Structures are given as structure tokens and as C-alpha cells.
Amino acid sequence: MSLSPEIEALHHAACEAASETYVDPASGYLVLTRYAHLKRGSCCGNGCRHCPYPKNQDAEITRTKDSPGEGWINPKPLKGRVDVLFWSGGKDSFLTFMQLRVETENFVLLTTTDALNRFVPLQMICTDDIVRQAFALDVPLFLLPLPHGQDYRTLIVSTLQDIERTHGITIGRLVFGDLHLEGIRNWRKDVLSDYEIHTPLFNQPYSSLLETLWKHMEHMDLEIRLSTEVTLPTRRLPRGTPFTPSLVEELKRLGIDEMLENGEGHTIVLPKSHGTRETT
């Protein structure tokens, strides 16, 4: 990718200062530096501007031979005005799903995946587990691989338009599980300005969200586990570590966002009878 001298200079200065981000002069958005990616230790699959990793890197989860690609999972007849919940497979998506189900029954899930390795960028959740979730929750899911270098807005909008034409429906709200990061919320509104952006959990107190989460977990016999490592001051929590009330209390004591909203780590929600898909 060819970058302007101004961006190259900003990026170089940020890395020299051991900064994980800098402000893009054109958009005003924060951009992750090479330093941030190297500190993370693996590719997130999001096609980042300064990614230092080879594009064929496995990242942590590789595509399995029978992993599904683009298209519908658990399809059902659609009609009228249909909301689209952008589903990442974690606890915030799940809480948003439960809230949205109170508001309407006419919605589907849409999950964007890395086109090469078939995992959810950043969340590091295998597509197979996303499919399991769709069937467990009994909701239609559309899987959308994101090729490296593809313009995000163009791909999302064209996909939504294709869904409208194919099913004779109208896309209503685009629903996201954002909790309190105003910058990301504004970015969504900017990039997907053709649609109404709905964030039903935004700025809700963590105490209320967690109370609701634990109730759903018990009632629906589900479990939450870390889908990525979380680094604490004294130890590392590996993938698969249960996300429980006791862990939340530990995070609070350490001054770490207990919902991991700032990218400290990510989670996956699954029925207790299933484990996450491990590949070699």
C-alpha cells in the first residue's frame, strides 16, 4: 500500500514514541501503528493499514477444510423491513441480540469474516462456532468474507442491496453491540450513512448489563469464554478462560475495563455442551 509522505511521517513519529495509534489527517480517526500490531503479536485479520504480518499468516485459528464460506446459514423466509445485527459471536453481540429480540422478531445476523482464514477479525472466533451460534439461537445468519484490500463500505452496502433485491425486503436498522466508545459509533454512522445505526446497549451501566448477562447465561445454559488472550499485570489469561463474575471482579480491581471494551480481549458465547473449534 502506497502511503502519502504526511502519513508516513505521522506513523514514524508515533512508532518512535511507542504510541499504539495516531490520528489520520483526512478522516480524524485513530489508526493502529506497526508498534501496536507487533505488541499484539498476531494478525487480527482486519486488513489494517500498517499490518506487519504476512497476509497468509494463520493468526491463531486456521480455516478448516469444511468451513462454510459466503452465504446464508439457517435461512428462513424474510419479509417487510428487516433489521441486521452485525454479529461477532461475543458477549456484547449476545446482549444486543437479546435486547433486539424484545424489540422485533424480524431480524437476521451478519458476520464478516477474514476471507483467507475464515475467522472473525479481532474476535478470533472460527466460522464454525459462529454457525453453531446461529443454529443454537435459531436465527438466520449471513456470512460475508472480507477480502484483504476490499473497501469495507462498498462491500457491506452492495451485500445489503443484494439481500434486499433477492428477498424483496427493505433493510431497516443496522444494529451493533457498541457499549461506550463514541469514536467507533460515529465511524459506523459515517461509513454506513445510508442506513440507520442502532446501538441499544450504548452507555448502559455495566452493572445492569452484567446482571442481565449472568441471568441469560443461567437461564439458557450458556457459557462465555475468552476467544483471545488477555494480559493482566501479573499473568496472561489464555484463550478458553471462562468469563465469569469472579474474573470481572478481578478485572475491576486491576483497573481493567470489566467488559473488555477497549480491546483488552474478546469473548465467545456457546452452549455448555459445545467447545470452541480448535484446528491445527
Side-chain angles (χ1 to χ4, degrees), residues 155-167:
L155 186 59
I156 295 295
V157 171
S158 63
T159 298
L160 295 175
Q161 291 174 343
D162 286 345
I163 290 174
E164 287 182 317
R165 284 192 297 267
T166 302
H167 295 275

mmCIF file with all atom_site columns, all heavy atoms in Angstrom, residues 155-167:
data_model
loop_
_atom_site.group_PDB
_atom_site.id
_atom_site.type_symbol
_atom_site.label_atom_id
_atom_site.label_alt_id
_atom_site.label_comp_id
_atom_site.label_asym_id
_atom_site.label_entity_id
_atom_site.label_seq_id
_atom_site.pdbx_PDB_ins_code
_atom_site.Cartn_x
_atom_site.Cartn_y
_atom_site.Cartn_z
_atom_site.occupancy
_atom_site.B_iso_or_equiv
_atom_site.pdbx_formal_charge
_atom_site.auth_seq_id
_atom_site.auth_comp_id
_atom_site.auth_asym_id
_atom_site.auth_atom_id
_atom_site.pdbx_PDB_model_num
ATOM 1   N N   . LEU A 1 155 ? -18.356 -3.075  0.107  1.00 0.00 ? 155 LEU A N   1
ATOM 2   C CA  . LEU A 1 155 ? -18.752 -4.469  0.226  1.00 0.00 ? 155 LEU A CA  1
ATOM 3   C C   . LEU A 1 155 ? -20.009 -4.620  1.070  1.00 0.00 ? 155 LEU A C   1
ATOM 4   O O   . LEU A 1 155 ? -20.931 -5.371  0.708  1.00 0.00 ? 155 LEU A O   1
ATOM 5   C CB  . LEU A 1 155 ? -17.615 -5.285  0.838  1.00 0.00 ? 155 LEU A CB  1
ATOM 6   C CG  . LEU A 1 155 ? -17.839 -6.799  0.897  1.00 0.00 ? 155 LEU A CG  1
ATOM 7   C CD1 . LEU A 1 155 ? -18.058 -7.375  -0.497 1.00 0.00 ? 155 LEU A CD1 1
ATOM 8   C CD2 . LEU A 1 155 ? -16.666 -7.486  1.574  1.00 0.00 ? 155 LEU A CD2 1
ATOM 9   N N   . ILE A 1 156 ? -20.080 -3.930  2.203  1.00 0.00 ? 156 ILE A N   1
ATOM 10  C CA  . ILE A 1 156 ? -21.251 -4.038  3.071  1.00 0.00 ? 156 ILE A CA  1
ATOM 11  C C   . ILE A 1 156 ? -22.503 -3.535  2.363  1.00 0.00 ? 156 ILE A C   1
ATOM 12  O O   . ILE A 1 156 ? -23.548 -4.207  2.347  1.00 0.00 ? 156 ILE A O   1
ATOM 13  C CB  . ILE A 1 156 ? -21.039 -3.258  4.383  1.00 0.00 ? 156 ILE A CB  1
ATOM 14  C CG1 . ILE A 1 156 ? -19.915 -3.882  5.211  1.00 0.00 ? 156 ILE A CG1 1
ATOM 15  C CG2 . ILE A 1 156 ? -22.343 -3.206  5.197  1.00 0.00 ? 156 ILE A CG2 1
ATOM 16  C CD1 . ILE A 1 156 ? -20.188 -5.269  5.718  1.00 0.00 ? 156 ILE A CD1 1
ATOM 17  N N   . VAL A 1 157 ? -22.420 -2.345  1.769  1.00 0.00 ? 157 VAL A N   1
ATOM 18  C CA  . VAL A 1 157 ? -23.592 -1.759  1.123  1.00 0.00 ? 157 VAL A CA  1
ATOM 19  C C   . VAL A 1 157 ? -24.060 -2.618  -0.044 1.00 0.00 ? 157 VAL A C   1
ATOM 20  O O   . VAL A 1 157 ? -25.262 -2.871  -0.209 1.00 0.00 ? 157 VAL A O   1
ATOM 21  C CB  . VAL A 1 157 ? -23.288 -0.323  0.655  1.00 0.00 ? 157 VAL A CB  1
ATOM 22  C CG1 . VAL A 1 157 ? -24.435 0.213   -0.217 1.00 0.00 ? 157 VAL A CG1 1
ATOM 23  C CG2 . VAL A 1 157 ? -23.083 0.594   1.861  1.00 0.00 ? 157 VAL A CG2 1
ATOM 24  N N   . SER A 1 158 ? -23.129 -3.102  -0.860 1.00 0.00 ? 158 SER A N   1
ATOM 25  C CA  . SER A 1 158 ? -23.527 -3.933  -2.008 1.00 0.00 ? 158 SER A CA  1
ATOM 26  C C   . SER A 1 158 ? -24.154 -5.238  -1.547 1.00 0.00 ? 158 SER A C   1
ATOM 27  O O   . SER A 1 158 ? -25.118 -5.733  -2.159 1.00 0.00 ? 158 SER A O   1
ATOM 28  C CB  . SER A 1 158 ? -22.320 -4.207  -2.906 1.00 0.00 ? 158 SER A CB  1
ATOM 29  O OG  . SER A 1 158 ? -21.327 -4.958  -2.225 1.00 0.00 ? 158 SER A OG  1
ATOM 30  N N   . THR A 1 159 ? -23.656 -5.795  -0.446 1.00 0.00 ? 159 THR A N   1
ATOM 31  C CA  . THR A 1 159 ? -24.233 -7.030  0.094  1.00 0.00 ? 159 THR A CA  1
ATOM 32  C C   . THR A 1 159 ? -25.645 -6.795  0.600  1.00 0.00 ? 159 THR A C   1
ATOM 33  O O   . THR A 1 159 ? -26.562 -7.593  0.329  1.00 0.00 ? 159 THR A O   1
ATOM 34  C CB  . THR A 1 159 ? -23.357 -7.580  1.231  1.00 0.00 ? 159 THR A CB  1
ATOM 35  O OG1 . THR A 1 159 ? -22.061 -7.900  0.722  1.00 0.00 ? 159 THR A OG1 1
ATOM 36  C CG2 . THR A 1 159 ? -23.978 -8.828  1.844  1.00 0.00 ? 159 THR A CG2 1
ATOM 37  N N   . LEU A 1 160 ? -25.848 -5.713  1.330  1.00 0.00 ? 160 LEU A N   1
ATOM 38  C CA  . LEU A 1 160 ? -27.187 -5.399  1.836  1.00 0.00 ? 160 LEU A CA  1
ATOM 39  C C   . LEU A 1 160 ? -28.156 -5.150  0.678  1.00 0.00 ? 160 LEU A C   1
ATOM 40  O O   . LEU A 1 160 ? -29.316 -5.574  0.730  1.00 0.00 ? 160 LEU A O   1
ATOM 41  C CB  . LEU A 1 160 ? -27.128 -4.181  2.756  1.00 0.00 ? 160 LEU A CB  1
ATOM 42  C CG  . LEU A 1 160 ? -26.328 -4.364  4.056  1.00 0.00 ? 160 LEU A CG  1
ATOM 43  C CD1 . LEU A 1 160 ? -26.252 -3.052  4.821  1.00 0.00 ? 160 LEU A CD1 1
ATOM 44  C CD2 . LEU A 1 160 ? -26.943 -5.445  4.932  1.00 0.00 ? 160 LEU A CD2 1
ATOM 45  N N   . GLN A 1 161 ? -27.708 -4.481  -0.349 1.00 0.00 ? 161 GLN A N   1
ATOM 46  C CA  . GLN A 1 161 ? -28.552 -4.242  -1.512 1.00 0.00 ? 161 GLN A CA  1
ATOM 47  C C   . GLN A 1 161 ? -28.899 -5.543  -2.218 1.00 0.00 ? 161 GLN A C   1
ATOM 48  O O   . GLN A 1 161 ? -30.037 -5.726  -2.677 1.00 0.00 ? 161 GLN A O   1
ATOM 49  C CB  . GLN A 1 161 ? -27.858 -3.279  -2.470 1.00 0.00 ? 161 GLN A CB  1
ATOM 50  C CG  . GLN A 1 161 ? -27.752 -1.854  -1.936 1.00 0.00 ? 161 GLN A CG  1
ATOM 51  C CD  . GLN A 1 161 ? -26.926 -0.943  -2.825 1.00 0.00 ? 161 GLN A CD  1
ATOM 52  O OE1 . GLN A 1 161 ? -26.168 -1.402  -3.690 1.00 0.00 ? 161 GLN A OE1 1
ATOM 53  N NE2 . GLN A 1 161 ? -27.038 0.363   -2.618 1.00 0.00 ? 161 GLN A NE2 1
ATOM 54  N N   . ASP A 1 162 ? -27.942 -6.466  -2.304 1.00 0.00 ? 162 ASP A N   1
ATOM 55  C CA  . ASP A 1 162 ? -28.205 -7.770  -2.909 1.00 0.00 ? 162 ASP A CA  1
ATOM 56  C C   . ASP A 1 162 ? -29.253 -8.538  -2.101 1.00 0.00 ? 162 ASP A C   1
ATOM 57  O O   . ASP A 1 162 ? -30.136 -9.204  -2.673 1.00 0.00 ? 162 ASP A O   1
ATOM 58  C CB  . ASP A 1 162 ? -26.920 -8.593  -2.995 1.00 0.00 ? 162 ASP A CB  1
ATOM 59  C CG  . ASP A 1 162 ? -25.984 -8.110  -4.087 1.00 0.00 ? 162 ASP A CG  1
ATOM 60  O OD1 . ASP A 1 162 ? -26.435 -7.340  -4.963 1.00 0.00 ? 162 ASP A OD1 1
ATOM 61  O OD2 . ASP A 1 162 ? -24.795 -8.484  -4.059 1.00 0.00 ? 162 ASP A OD2 1
ATOM 62  N N   . ILE A 1 163 ? -29.157 -8.468  -0.780 1.00 0.00 ? 163 ILE A N   1
ATOM 63  C CA  . ILE A 1 163 ? -30.120 -9.151  0.079  1.00 0.00 ? 163 ILE A CA  1
ATOM 64  C C   . ILE A 1 163 ? -31.525 -8.572  -0.137 1.00 0.00 ? 163 ILE A C   1
ATOM 65  O O   . ILE A 1 163 ? -32.519 -9.307  -0.220 1.00 0.00 ? 163 ILE A O   1
ATOM 66  C CB  . ILE A 1 163 ? -29.699 -9.036  1.554  1.00 0.00 ? 163 ILE A CB  1
ATOM 67  C CG1 . ILE A 1 163 ? -28.432 -9.876  1.813  1.00 0.00 ? 163 ILE A CG1 1
ATOM 68  C CG2 . ILE A 1 163 ? -30.832 -9.479  2.488  1.00 0.00 ? 163 ILE A CG2 1
ATOM 69  C CD1 . ILE A 1 163 ? -27.851 -9.710  3.198  1.00 0.00 ? 163 ILE A CD1 1
ATOM 70  N N   . GLU A 1 164 ? -31.593 -7.257  -0.243 1.00 0.00 ? 164 GLU A N   1
ATOM 71  C CA  . GLU A 1 164 ? -32.891 -6.617  -0.490 1.00 0.00 ? 164 GLU A CA  1
ATOM 72  C C   . GLU A 1 164 ? -33.502 -7.087  -1.805 1.00 0.00 ? 164 GLU A C   1
ATOM 73  O O   . GLU A 1 164 ? -34.683 -7.434  -1.878 1.00 0.00 ? 164 GLU A O   1
ATOM 74  C CB  . GLU A 1 164 ? -32.727 -5.093  -0.511 1.00 0.00 ? 164 GLU A CB  1
ATOM 75  C CG  . GLU A 1 164 ? -32.497 -4.488  0.863  1.00 0.00 ? 164 GLU A CG  1
ATOM 76  C CD  . GLU A 1 164 ? -32.397 -2.975  0.821  1.00 0.00 ? 164 GLU A CD  1
ATOM 77  O OE1 . GLU A 1 164 ? -31.713 -2.457  -0.099 1.00 0.00 ? 164 GLU A OE1 1
ATOM 78  O OE2 . GLU A 1 164 ? -33.006 -2.305  1.687  1.00 0.00 ? 164 GLU A OE2 1
ATOM 79  N N   . ARG A 1 165 ? -32.691 -7.098  -2.859 1.00 0.00 ? 165 ARG A N   1
ATOM 80  C CA  . ARG A 1 165 ? -33.205 -7.493  -4.172 1.00 0.00 ? 165 ARG A CA  1
ATOM 81  C C   . ARG A 1 165 ? -33.600 -8.969  -4.197 1.00 0.00 ? 165 ARG A C   1
ATOM 82  O O   . ARG A 1 165 ? -34.648 -9.337  -4.734 1.00 0.00 ? 165 ARG A O   1
ATOM 83  C CB  . ARG A 1 165 ? -32.139 -7.229  -5.245 1.00 0.00 ? 165 ARG A CB  1
ATOM 84  C CG  . ARG A 1 165 ? -31.979 -5.768  -5.617 1.00 0.00 ? 165 ARG A CG  1
ATOM 85  C CD  . ARG A 1 165 ? -31.132 -5.620  -6.868 1.00 0.00 ? 165 ARG A CD  1
ATOM 86  N NE  . ARG A 1 165 ? -29.776 -6.104  -6.668 1.00 0.00 ? 165 ARG A NE  1
ATOM 87  C CZ  . ARG A 1 165 ? -28.761 -5.328  -6.292 1.00 0.00 ? 165 ARG A CZ  1
ATOM 88  N NH1 . ARG A 1 165 ? -28.957 -4.040  -6.074 1.00 0.00 ? 165 ARG A NH1 1
ATOM 89  N NH2 . ARG A 1 165 ? -27.551 -5.829  -6.136 1.00 0.00 ? 165 ARG A NH2 1
ATOM 90  N N   . THR A 1 166 ? -32.768 -9.803  -3.616 1.00 0.00 ? 166 THR A N   1
ATOM 91  C CA  . THR A 1 166 ? -33.009 -11.244 -3.663 1.00 0.00 ? 166 THR A CA  1
ATOM 92  C C   . THR A 1 166 ? -34.269 -11.638 -2.904 1.00 0.00 ? 166 THR A C   1
ATOM 93  O O   . THR A 1 166 ? -35.033 -12.500 -3.351 1.00 0.00 ? 166 THR A O   1
ATOM 94  C CB  . THR A 1 166 ? -31.803 -12.008 -3.088 1.00 0.00 ? 166 THR A CB  1
ATOM 95  O OG1 . THR A 1 166 ? -30.634 -11.668 -3.835 1.00 0.00 ? 166 THR A OG1 1
ATOM 96  C CG2 . THR A 1 166 ? -32.025 -13.505 -3.143 1.00 0.00 ? 166 THR A CG2 1
ATOM 97  N N   . HIS A 1 167 ? -34.497 -11.002 -1.763 1.00 0.00 ? 167 HIS A N   1
ATOM 98  C CA  . HIS A 1 167 ? -35.606 -11.405 -0.900 1.00 0.00 ? 167 HIS A CA  1
ATOM 99  C C   . HIS A 1 167 ? -36.810 -10.474 -0.981 1.00 0.00 ? 167 HIS A C   1
ATOM 100 O O   . HIS A 1 167 ? -37.837 -10.727 -0.334 1.00 0.00 ? 167 HIS A O   1
ATOM 101 C CB  . HIS A 1 167 ? -35.118 -11.497 0.552  1.00 0.00 ? 167 HIS A CB  1
ATOM 102 C CG  . HIS A 1 167 ? -34.088 -12.568 0.767  1.00 0.00 ? 167 HIS A CG  1
ATOM 103 N ND1 . HIS A 1 167 ? -34.411 -13.883 0.999  1.00 0.00 ? 167 HIS A ND1 1
ATOM 104 C CD2 . HIS A 1 167 ? -32.732 -12.521 0.750  1.00 0.00 ? 167 HIS A CD2 1
ATOM 105 C CE1 . HIS A 1 167 ? -33.300 -14.595 1.130  1.00 0.00 ? 167 HIS A CE1 1
ATOM 106 N NE2 . HIS A 1 167 ? -32.272 -13.797 0.992  1.00 0.00 ? 167 HIS A NE2 1
#
